[in-house]
């Protein structure tokens, strides 16, 4: 395989399993659009679908997978444990498997390091935290319901807390975090790598109405390459060494986001994107009962 075949690229996790480098994200996708988006993505050649219990669309995602006719064994499915289910991990995974209509998922993530009280989402459970959640997560691979376990939205401080706890026997396979040139998180990515944790970038296109699409450096670079700004952003992530899960529901954009083979960014072009001055986060932590971002990722 040439290094320009980005859509066939996989990353080997600390478990030995291989995660496809390019996936379809489904956050904020409206229910009746998701099924079609998943089917279209799989027919285009995507082999990684990312969803979550919190998105409320796992049943649609499962239907889209079935509609595609692509065998389950060829598809990498990632889903996530919702914050209000931290103290009910076995029920959380069973709920996801039931909605997706599959026997197992390839990757199951703790969606946020916040064990939120299901009866009052402004509160954190007094007797529970993500250390206990991880103790329960670690039991899942033995059940056959989950091939790999990981985390999402964990900064260095919380990863240190987790990895240094004596109960942590399994190092997360993946840390799924927000990654784009206006939130590049170099320290966090380097920390993940140093611990053998693969980084997956979400909101890798900067999300809807992103300031990125007004960035002259990005726009000029896309024009020079004869590519869309989205394609340039995806290649930036892939060449930096992480997997990307661009979200779209429009067939033309789903297709375009997968047209990444046969070209790449030169080192100076990557450097230009590395040095964009603006900073913004799509996903903050103000809605959670605990703070999870500490500025330790920059």
């Amino acid at each position: 395989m040439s290094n320009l075949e980005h859509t066939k690229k996989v990353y080997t996790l600390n478990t030995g399993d291989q995660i496809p480098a390019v996936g379809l994200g489904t956050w904020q996708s409206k229910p009746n659009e998701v099924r079609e988006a998943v089917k279209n993505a799989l027919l285009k050649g995507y082999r990684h679908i990312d969803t979550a219990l919190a998105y409320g669309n796992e049943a649609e995602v499962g239907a889209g997978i079935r509609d595609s006719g692509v065998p389950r064994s060829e598809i990498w499915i990632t889903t996530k444990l919702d914050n209000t289910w931290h103290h009910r991990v076995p029920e959380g995974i069973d709920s996801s498997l039931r909605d997706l209509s599959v026997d197992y998922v390839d990757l199951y993530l703790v969606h946020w390091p916040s064990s939120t009280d299901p009866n009052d989402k402004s509160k954190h459970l007094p007797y529970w935290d993500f250390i206990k959640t991880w103790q329960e997560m670690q039991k899942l691979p033995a059940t056959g319901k989950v091939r790999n376990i990981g985390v999402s939205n964990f900064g260095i401080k919380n990863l240190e807390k987790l990895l240094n706890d004596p109960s942590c026997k399994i190092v997360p396979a993946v840390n799924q975090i927000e990654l784009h040139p206006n939130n590049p998180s170099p320290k966090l990515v380097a920390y993940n790598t140093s611990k053998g944790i693969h980084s997956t970038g979400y909101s890798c296109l900067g999300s809807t109405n992103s300031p990125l699409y007004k960035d002259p450096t990005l726009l000029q670079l896309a024009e020079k390459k004869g590519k869309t700004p989205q394609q340039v952003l995806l290649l930036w992530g892939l060449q930096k060494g992480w997997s990307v899960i661009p979200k779209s529901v429009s067939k033309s954009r789903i297709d375009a986001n997968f047209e990444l083979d046969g070209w790449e960014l030169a080192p100076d072009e990557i450097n230009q994107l590395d040095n964009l001055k603006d900073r913004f986060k799509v996903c903050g932590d103000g809605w959670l009962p605990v703070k999870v971002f500490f500025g330790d990722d920059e």
Side-chain angles (χ1 to χ4, degrees), residues 17 65 71-79 93-94 96-98 100-108 140-141 143-148:
D17 278 3
I65 288 170
R72 165 70 187 97
S73 58
E74 289 179 21
I75 304 167
W76 180 282
I77 301 175
T78 298
T79 194
I93 184 61
D94 285 347
S96 288
L97 293 177
R98 193 166 54 244
L100 286 160
S101 294
V102 293
D103 297 328
Y104 70 94
V105 293
D106 299 272
L107 178 61
Y108 195 46
L140 293 179
T143 66
K145 295 174 181 180
V146 171
R147 300 272 166 98
N148 300 273

Side-chain angles (χ1 to χ4, degrees), residues 85-101:
W85 293 67
H86 275 211
H87 57 308
R88 299 174 291 163
V89 169
E91 293 89 339
I93 184 61
D94 285 347
S95 171
S96 288
L97 293 177
R98 193 166 54 244
D99 283 350
L100 286 160
S101 294

Side-chain angles (χ1 to χ4, degrees), residues 205-219:
L205 304 177
S207 207
T208 319
N209 305 321
S210 159
L212 267 171
Y213 298 116
K214 298 184 186 72
D215 190 287
T217 307
L218 173 63
L219 297 177

Side-chain angles (χ1 to χ4, degrees), residues 71-277:
R72 165 70 187 97
S73 58
E74 289 179 21
I75 304 167
W76 180 282
I77 301 175
T78 298
T79 194
K80 311 177 193 86
L81 176 75
D82 195 15
N83 307 345
T84 53
W85 293 67
H86 275 211
H87 57 308
R88 299 174 291 163
V89 169
E91 293 89 339
I93 184 61
D94 285 347
S95 171
S96 288
L97 293 177
R98 193 166 54 244
D99 283 350
L100 286 160
S101 294
V102 293
D103 297 328
Y104 70 94
V105 293
D106 299 272
L107 178 61
Y108 195 46
L109 304 177
V110 178
H111 202 156
W112 292 86
S114 172
S115 306
T116 305
D117 184 341
N119 299 314
D120 182 352
K121 292 187 182 168
S122 70
K123 294 201 170 92
H124 194 267
L125 287 171
Y127 58 89
W128 202 270
D129 62 11
F130 63 76
I131 301 289
K132 287 188 178 177
T133 311
W134 194 249
Q135 289 167 16
E136 294 302 309
M137 292 284 287
Q138 291 180 132
K139 298 173 185 172
L140 293 179
T143 66
K145 295 174 181 180
V146 171
R147 300 272 166 98
N148 300 273
I149 56 173
V151 296
S152 178
N153 298 301
F154 272 61
I156 295 171
K157 182 178 168 180
N158 280 335
L159 282 173
E160 294 263 68
K161 191 176 163 189
L162 178 64
L163 296 174
N164 291 328
D165 193 273
S167 70
C168 181
K169 308 287 186 231
I170 299 178
V171 174
V174 171
N175 186 13
Q176 187 181 118
I177 52 179
E178 180 175 339
L179 286 172
H180 49 77
N182 288 163
N183 191 68
S185 303
K187 281 188 184 155
L188 178 52
V189 171
Y191 181 87
N192 288 340
T193 305
S194 76
K195 299 296 181 185
I197 301 170
H198 172 71
S199 302
T200 294
Y202 75 74
S203 292
C204 45
L205 304 177
S207 207
T208 319
N209 305 321
S210 159
L212 267 171
Y213 298 116
K214 298 184 186 72
D215 190 287
T217 307
L218 173 63
L219 297 177
Q220 283 159 14
L221 185 50
E223 196 172 340
K224 179 179 124 190
K225 303 297 277 190
K227 304 293 176 187
T228 68
Q230 289 88 341
Q231 289 168 330
V232 169
L233 290 170
L234 293 172
L235 224 56
W236 174 80
L238 293 173
Q239 289 185 236
K240 298 278 284 183
W242 52 78
S243 48
V244 291
I245 45 170
K247 176 254 161 175
S248 182
V249 290
S250 116
K251 184 176 185 311
S252 60
R253 282 199 294 273
I254 287 170
D255 287 356
N257 289 344
F258 204 67
E259 284 156 15
L260 303 171
D261 293 343
W263 62 286
E264 62 186 353
L265 299 171
D268 68 303
E269 294 169 335
I270 289 178
N271 198 39
Q272 282 177 41
L273 294 173
D274 284 347
N275 287 295
L276 296 189
K277 292 289 175 270

